[in-house]
Structure formats: structure tokens, C-alpha cells
Amino acid sequence: PPTLPPTLPPTLPPTLPPTSPPTLPPTPVPTPYPECTVDVVVDCVTADGVPCEDIPATNGQCKPDLSPLTTLEFQYQFRFCNESMNSQSTDGFYSCEDFEDIEQCRNGEGLRIKCEGSNDVVYFDGSVGPEGFIPIIAEENSTLSTLMTCNISKFTETNFFACQEVTFDTSGTEDLVLTDSFGSISLSSCADSADNMADCFLDVIYTYTLTNVGEIEMNITEAIRTYNYENPENLIGLFPQGKNPLQVGDSVDITANRTINVCSDNSYEVDMFVEADPPGDVNCNDTGFFKFNVTFEKPCDIQVDLDCELTGDDFSGSSCDDVFVPDLACSNAEIAGLAFSYKNSTCPESDNDQDIFECEDFQCSEDGNVRVLCESEGTVFCNCTVEEGGLILISSLLVLPDRLTCTVYPEDSNEKCQEFSLNPSGTDELNLKDSFGSLTLETCDDTVGATSTCLFDSKFTYTVTNSGSSDFGLSSLKSSNNGDVKELIPTSSLPINFQAGKVLLVVQPSRIDACAGYLEQAIYAEAIGLGDGKICFDEDILDIDFGSQAPSTTKFPTKAPTVSPTETAYPTRNPGDVPCNITALIECSVDGGAPCASDLRLPTVQCRDEMLPSELEFIFTGAECSGETSEALKACVDENGGPKGKQSVEVTVEEELGDILFDELVGLGTLFAVPVNGKGKLTIKIRDADTLVQTVNIDTNCENDNKRMFTSEMFGALQLTGFDNGAQSPSGRATITLSYSVVNENRYKSIVDKANATGQQTTSLLPNGEFVELSRLGQKEVLGDLVETINLFQVAGSSEIISYELEVEGSALANSFICSSTSSYELEILQ
């Protein structure tokens, strides 16, 4: 039989019979329409025919050849006097005064402005609206007076409001620069007798040329013009009659005028999107672009901004506007703790209502720090060294006694300066801000844990920006707290070379006195132009009445007038092949400029022979005695449960002869310095309230090759973090600088308009519409610096990592493609 199965039949069906012929003739093949193609070209020139891309930088200086001035024009923009920005000195003739009714002029409606010269000539007297202009023009064949006084007021049907008066110098001996603001008027143009003229506003003429480069006539359906990606407007109605439809090879020009602001560094871009509809089914379109930049050469331009934030545990991160005036009465409860501030004052200057109060002044030399000893029936409640403006704490586990005697001594002497008695218990009249000789009451704590205080921990953040187009030398940076002026940068370190566009952040810890009822904090900066020696300055003032809001600020406008938008939507852009690629960068340096990663470490230094320390620096750790001794640690004894678990203790340091070198309340993890003045043998006593919890005996004598003492060594609950013996000065504190930058990672131009730095708080490095332009591969621009002082031992001893972050966002100039980048930095303390 056969071994293979029979072959299967075929799977395909048999061939079908032929198809019957068609009953209709075939449809003819369609003939394609000719191609539709439109070309758009945009051009721009000034009224004088200068191409917009060749517009020279505007020199904002009036009187370039010292010819007398003949014309000034100002623009109204509501502004308080303290927000003025000009280089005229208040030591000369410049002055500005806000009147009681100034808020009536905020909206700019119904204003009357009168400007009169020192020659009694009225140069302007008329009505002005919001952002209206005030021309001041000399009489024919004459020049302006040497001084000008402008009064700003408002009229209604029933009232007259005087708002502001400003006087400024027009003689030429004081600087006048475009954009200078004098109260609510800002200089926008000027001219002199030699026909030199400077103007913030320039008219330009845009020409849009549309050409039919295809093979068939086309009907233009849309011609959408957009300025700086905003305000789209269809210009189809501006086509000349008979030019739409557009014939093959034919062109049409549309012109439009626009006024631009040349008194700031700006970029102006105009786009024209054109769409055409031919007789066929497929339309065609094209987009024309034109972009140019203007530069404002203000001789010297510095801008400062001030921010205030609370840092205490109960209010951390809150605005300083949240500060409130507390209940001043402390005598309605049993008092367990008081905090006083020290100010060198006499007994007659005391202000309190206690019957028990007695005070006597003695002859002594009370210059510098003092020691305050407060005791009652042999119990010492405070033996504290304090500086002018510093605080001392008086506390008890129970109620404070009803009589306390305090004696004030010079820091290094037992010579009495002052002695007084008071009742701190709460059984007699006692209020915050009561003063007893040189001590003023700031805080009171009762026995149930309630606290009433005048003092709120805070920090001020100052932002200093070189807003000009050239470098300057930062010559002064000062802060003022209710009239108390401090140098933020030592004068020995000034001037500092400050590049154009650079931003500097300075953080200043502070303490707000709510019982003062108000806060007036100010920042003042002064700079010198490196090229021309011109001086410029700026200030920012934070004025808070605790219980009301400070007035808001208004900035000088930088944008030119814009065309009203229509309902037509601009077509979405295609990202195309021009990406935006930027990288955020954070760099950290410490003290002298070394990178944090290689130089930020805990100090481990032994003091050298024949060098007695003048100062010791410790951190309170709460540790118990280890039972071991060393060359420097002679003895350590825990008593009454020891210091473990204590959040704050009183630390007293005595020398061998019994003089007290240090006596203050110290918190867990807090660094503090003890002036030892070359003393060798010291006794350290640590108390929890009145209870002694630890005694430590140390010998800091490093002579005769006995290298007894080294940083990081434990002395009971205190760890040595640093010392100063003249030749060596290791410290547990470090000042770090975080530098925030952005880098262009490709060869295309990009704009970076958002940069937020986050550390202890978030700060915008590009506020108020500012931006950075990146135009080449690898270009790096510094956005700002942040300077902070940190406790190395506290960071190293905790699980918390100090983190900083920079987030930047930008877009490609060619097609608005958006990109972003984020960089983070974690601070590491090397052991």
C-alpha cells in the first residue's frame, strides 16, 4: 500500500467568469490646481529712516555738552517720596514731601500739576491723567530756571486735595538722567540750547510686504500681526483697494507705526502670519518675523529690594506684617521668668509703677559690656555678661521672689555702677517696657507656660541688583532699623566690583520690637560707575504700623503703549528644529572662596605651645560626663540627674581666682563664645534653672609642648568647636556663598525669564519682568548670590541635610519653545 496520504484538493476556488463591461464611460482624471504660495517679509525703520536693528544705545544723560536745558518732559506715575529714584542729593536743593492726602492721587484721575521755576515763571499748570505727560518748556530764546518746584493736587466737585510737592535742580550741577523719578513724576525726555535731545519714546514704522510667489491668484483671508507674542490683530482691513485677491507675482505693502520705550534694555519682536485661500481646496500660509534690541546706557543704575520674614518657632515663614502688639500687663499672673534688655541708663530715667523700686547710681567706667548680678536672699538668679542692646534672663522653677536686687558692674571689675530693687513675682504692678535703671522688661513667662513678649525673631533679606548696562563699584550698603544704622558690608571691603545684571542677596537676622508699635526698616546702597565715575543710589523702606498695612509700591512703567487686541487668535507656533536647552547651576564656596565640598569640614585643630587662647567657642550638646579625663579635661561631675535631655541651661565659666568670665542661658545645639583672656584653669558650672547639673574643670594651658586641647574634644556637656590664640582661630561657624547661574547648552538664542532660588525661603532672582538673554553655546550668566552663616557642628550632628534648589525657565527666541531646568545642592559637613 502507499506510504503517503493522497494529495489534498486545491484550496482556491475555481476561476470566476469574466466581469461584464461597464455601462457608463470612465470618469476623466482631474487636473491639479497650480501651487498656492505666499511670502511675507517684515521690515522696520525709525521716522528718520534708521533701520531698527541699528538703533543706537540711548544715552540717558541730559546736558551731554553742559548746554543749558530748554525742555524737560515728565510722565506721571504714582509714587511715594521714599520710592524716588534719582541721583540728586538731598544735601543740595532736591526735596520731596508727601502730604496727608497723597492717597487721593493714587489712581491719577482728576490731577492738577503746577511746576514753577525759581525765577517765578510757571512752566506748566494743567490737568494730567494716569501716566499723562507734563511738558516743561522754556520761553523762546530762553532756558529753564535753576530750580523747579512741582505741586501735585487733585480737584473734585466738592474738594481739593494737596498730595505732593517736589523740588529738583535743573541747573546742570546735579545729574538729570532719563527715568529719574522725583516723587510721582519721572523724566521721559530732555533738550538743551544746543539742540541735543534725549527721549524715552521713539516712533518706528513697520512695513509688512506680502507677495504672491505661486502660480495662481489668491485671496488673503488673514494677516495677523503680533507684538512680543501679545495683542494679535488682523490687519486685513488695511489692504489697499484692489489688492485682494493678490495676482501672481504681485505684492502689497502694509505699514503701521508703533512707539517703543528705549529707556530700558528691551527686545521687540513683531510677527505677521498670513493665510491665503486659492480657488482650490488647499490654502497656504507664511509667517514673517522681525526682532531687534534696544539698549539704555544709564550711567549708573542700582536697585535694592527689602523683604522681612519671621523666624521664631511659632511664626516661622510668616510675613513681618503678622507681628502684633502684645498685652503689656505681666502683673495678672504668677511670674516664673523675665527677659530684660540692657541699655546704659541712669536711675532717674527709670519708668515703672512699683512701690518697692529703689535705685542708686555710682561712679564707674561703664563703657562696653557689663556684668549684671541679680539675687534674692543669697540665691543668684542671674550673673550675666551683656552688651548694649543684649538680653538677660531671670527665671525660676516656681514663682520668682517678691524682691530682687540687681547690681551692674563693668565686665572686668567689681566696681558698682548701679544697684536697684524690683518685684518680679507679678504681685506688684509690672508691664512690658517697664524700665528699672539700665534694664527694660521685654518678655514675661507665667507658671502655666503663657508668654507675653515684645520681641519677635525675624530676618531681613536684601536684594541688590545692578540694573544698568555697565559695571559699577558698590561703595556702600547700609541698613536702618527704626533709625539704628548698620554697615552690612565692612567699609574696609568696599568698593566691590559689581557686574551689569548681577544680583546680590544679603540675609540679616534681626529681632522686631512689637511694643514700639511700628517698624521702619530701610536698605540703602550707593555705587560709582566704573567708566564715568557717576554716583547712583537706591533705597527701599519697609514701614509697618503693627495693626495696619504699609502702603504698596508702584514702579515706573517700562513698556511702551500697546495696540488694543482683537478677538482674532494667533495660530499656535510649531516648535520646529530650534530647541531651548538650558541648565541651572548652583556653586557653593566657603569663607575665602574654596569649594564647600573640599573645605567645609569640622575643625580638628590642637592649640600650639606657648599660645594661650583668648577666646573659646563651645556648643551645648546635653551630654553627660564620660568618666574619662585628658590633658585638658581635669574633672567632670554630673549632679541632680545631669544635663541630658535639657533644652536650655545656664552656663557659668569661672577662672581660678573666682572671676566670672561667662554666665548666660544657652540652648541645645547653640554655639557660644567665652572670652577667657589667656586664663588657664577654668571651672564650668551648668545649671537647669537654679539646680546644678554638671561641674567641669579644664586646663587650657598649651605651654611647654603640652598640646592639651583640640577642637571637637568633649568637656562634659560642652564640645569645643573653636578657639582663638592669636596664631590659630578655628571655628564651628562658616560663612558660605551660594552662587546661582544658568548655562546655555546649545548654539541657539534663549530668554530666561524665571529663576527661583529655594533655601530657607524662596526668592525670585528675576523679579518685575526682568530676564537674561543667552546667545551662544556654553554662555553662563550669574543670576545672584546668597550668603549665609551656618553652625557646622549642629548640621554635622543632626540627620537634617541643608538643601538648596534653583529652578529656571526660559524659551527659544526663534520659536518660543519652552524649556526648564532644576538644580539642587545638599550641604555636606565633612567630619
Side-chain angles (χ1 to χ4, degrees), residues 380-648:
V380 175
F381 288 85
C382 177
N383 192 357
C384 315
T385 299
V386 64
E387 62 183 357
E388 183 85 5
L391 295 178
I392 68 168
L393 305 177
I394 297 173
S395 61
S396 172
L397 291 176
L398 300 174
V399 182
L400 286 171
D402 56 12
R403 187 180 185 89
L404 190 69
T405 299
C406 295
T407 309
V408 180
Y409 303 93
E411 181 180 14
D412 299 321
S413 170
N414 288 323
E415 178 187 15
K416 284 185 181 181
C417 296
Q418 189 179 78
E419 186 172 85
F420 56 85
S421 298
L422 72 153
N423 181 351
S425 67
T427 59
D428 196 357
E429 186 77 16
L430 188 64
N431 299 289
L432 297 181
K433 289 303 178 182
D434 279 356
S435 59
F436 305 86
S438 295
L439 299 186
T440 300
L441 183 60
E442 306 287 358
T443 301
C444 56
D445 298 319
D446 64 25
T447 54
V448 296
T451 298
S452 184
T453 182
C454 291
L455 305 179
F456 289 76
D457 290 333
S458 62
K459 68 177 180 181
F460 298 107
T461 300
Y462 308 107
T463 305
V464 184
T465 306
N466 183 346
S467 302
S469 57
S470 57
D471 297 354
F472 60 58
L474 183 63
S475 56
S476 179
L477 188 63
K478 301 176 181 179
S479 69
S480 172
N481 179 271
N482 289 351
D484 181 19
V485 179
K486 291 184 178 180
E487 298 280 354
L488 292 176
I489 298 178
T491 54
S492 58
S493 301
L494 297 172
I496 297 175
N497 189 10
F498 218 66
Q499 296 176 336
K502 184 176 180 179
V503 178
L504 173 68
L505 298 180
V506 179
V507 178
Q508 181 186 33
S510 186
R511 185 176 285 142
I512 293 176
D513 185 353
C515 296
Y518 72 98
L519 169 68
E520 185 179 83
Q521 185 73 23
I523 173 70
Y524 175 88
E526 185 174 291
I528 303 174
L530 298 183
D532 53 18
K534 295 290 184 182
I535 296 176
C536 59
F537 62 88
D538 189 24
E539 64 181 1
D540 192 13
I541 299 177
L542 179 66
D543 209 346
I544 303 177
D545 181 355
F546 300 133
S548 65
Q549 297 293 323
S552 61
T553 60
T554 305
K555 298 294 184 183
F556 180 73
T558 57
K559 292 185 177 180
T562 56
V563 179
S564 301
T566 68
E567 296 296 324
T568 308
Y570 185 70
T572 304
R573 290 174 174 267
N574 183 352
D577 300 323
V578 187
C580 169
N581 189 357
I582 56 178
T583 297
L585 180 64
I586 302 178
E587 296 170 292
C588 179
S589 59
V590 59
D591 294 333
C596 295
S598 62
D599 203 38
L600 198 57
R601 60 178 66 242
L602 297 181
T604 53
V605 181
Q606 289 181 316
C607 76
R608 294 202 296 265
D609 55 336
E610 299 183 3
M611 291 291 181
L612 287 171
S614 60
E615 183 178 85
L616 301 178
E617 183 186 78
F618 294 100
I619 185 173
F620 172 60
T621 68
E624 298 177 334
C625 297
S626 65
E628 299 180 359
T629 60
S630 65
E631 286 296 319
L633 177 60
K634 296 304 182 182
C636 181
V637 179
D638 289 324
E639 303 181 49
N640 300 310
K644 186 175 181 180
K646 309 300 182 186
Q647 293 301 306
S648 62

Side-chain angles (χ1 to χ4, degrees), residues 78 82 188 300 369-370 453 543 546 553 582 726 799:
F78 178 81
N82 61 21
S188 59
C300 181
N369 295 350
V370 299
T453 182
D543 209 346
F546 300 133
T553 60
I582 56 178
S799 59

Side-chain angles (χ1 to χ4, degrees), residues 657-672:
L657 298 178
D659 285 345
I660 295 177
L661 306 176
F662 180 87
D663 188 0
E664 290 188 17
L665 190 67
V666 175
L668 185 66
T670 301
L671 282 173
F672 62 96

Side-chain angles (χ1 to χ4, degrees), residues 807-825:
E807 178 186 5
V808 297
E809 185 176 296
S811 58
L813 279 176
N815 60 4
S816 300
F817 183 82
I818 295 175
C819 60
S820 62
S821 175
T822 301
S823 177
S824 60
Y825 187 91

Side-chain angles (χ1 to χ4, degrees), residues 157-377:
E157 292 182 358
T158 57
N159 292 301
F160 167 79
F161 301 100
C163 296
Q164 192 177 71
E165 181 179 271
V166 59
T167 298
F168 50 94
D169 193 319
T170 55
S171 67
T173 58
E174 293 276 357
D175 278 346
L176 269 177
V177 182
L178 296 184
T179 73
D180 275 357
S181 59
F182 305 88
S184 294
I185 61 174
S186 298
L187 183 62
S188 59
S189 70
C190 58
D192 62 25
S193 59
D195 294 329
N196 295 304
M197 183 173 182
D199 197 335
C200 281
F201 298 103
L202 178 67
D203 290 330
V204 296
I205 304 168
Y206 285 103
T207 301
Y208 310 96
T209 302
L210 286 58
T211 304
N212 184 347
V213 294
E215 303 171 359
I216 190 172
E217 73 172 28
M218 61 181 67
N219 182 45
I220 306 297
T221 57
E222 287 188 339
I224 301 176
R225 187 266 318 279
T226 305
Y227 288 119
N228 283 359
Y229 313 135
E230 297 177 349
N231 304 321
E233 183 176 11
N234 197 339
L235 303 185
I236 194 72
L238 299 181
F239 273 53
Q241 187 174 5
K243 282 293 187 178
N244 198 14
L246 196 60
Q247 302 301 315
V248 175
D250 205 355
S251 297
V252 61
D253 287 340
I254 303 174
T255 59
N257 294 352
R258 186 167 177 80
T259 301
I260 63 171
N261 187 343
V262 294
C263 282
S264 62
D265 293 345
N266 281 323
S267 293
Y268 293 99
E269 179 176 336
V270 64
D271 308 335
M272 172 64 82
F273 174 81
V274 173
E275 188 170 77
D277 186 9
D281 295 331
V282 180
N283 59 13
C284 56
N285 59 67
D286 189 27
T287 302
F289 303 93
F290 191 92
K291 179 180 178 180
F292 64 95
N293 300 322
V294 294
T295 303
F296 181 55
E297 293 183 344
K298 194 166 184 178
C300 181
D301 191 7
I302 188 171
Q303 180 178 338
V304 294
D305 292 290
L306 164 61
D307 184 56
C308 182
E309 180 181 315
L310 300 181
T311 58
D313 292 339
D314 294 336
F315 302 97
S316 181
S318 299
S319 167
C320 294
D321 289 339
D322 295 335
V323 170
F324 55 88
V325 178
D327 181 2
L328 300 182
C330 294
S331 51
N332 52 8
E334 294 181 327
I335 304 301
L338 299 173
F340 292 89
S341 61
Y342 168 77
K343 180 183 179 182
N344 186 1
S345 304
T346 63
C347 290
E349 296 176 82
S350 302
D351 185 9
N352 65 81
D353 294 321
Q354 290 203 346
D355 296 332
I356 196 177
F357 175 67
E358 299 175 347
C359 184
E360 184 177 0
D361 291 316
F362 301 91
Q363 292 292 329
C364 75
S365 54
E366 199 177 341
D367 295 331
N369 295 350
V370 299
R371 180 167 60 91
V372 179
L373 175 64
C374 293
E375 55 186 342
S376 177
E377 297 181 353

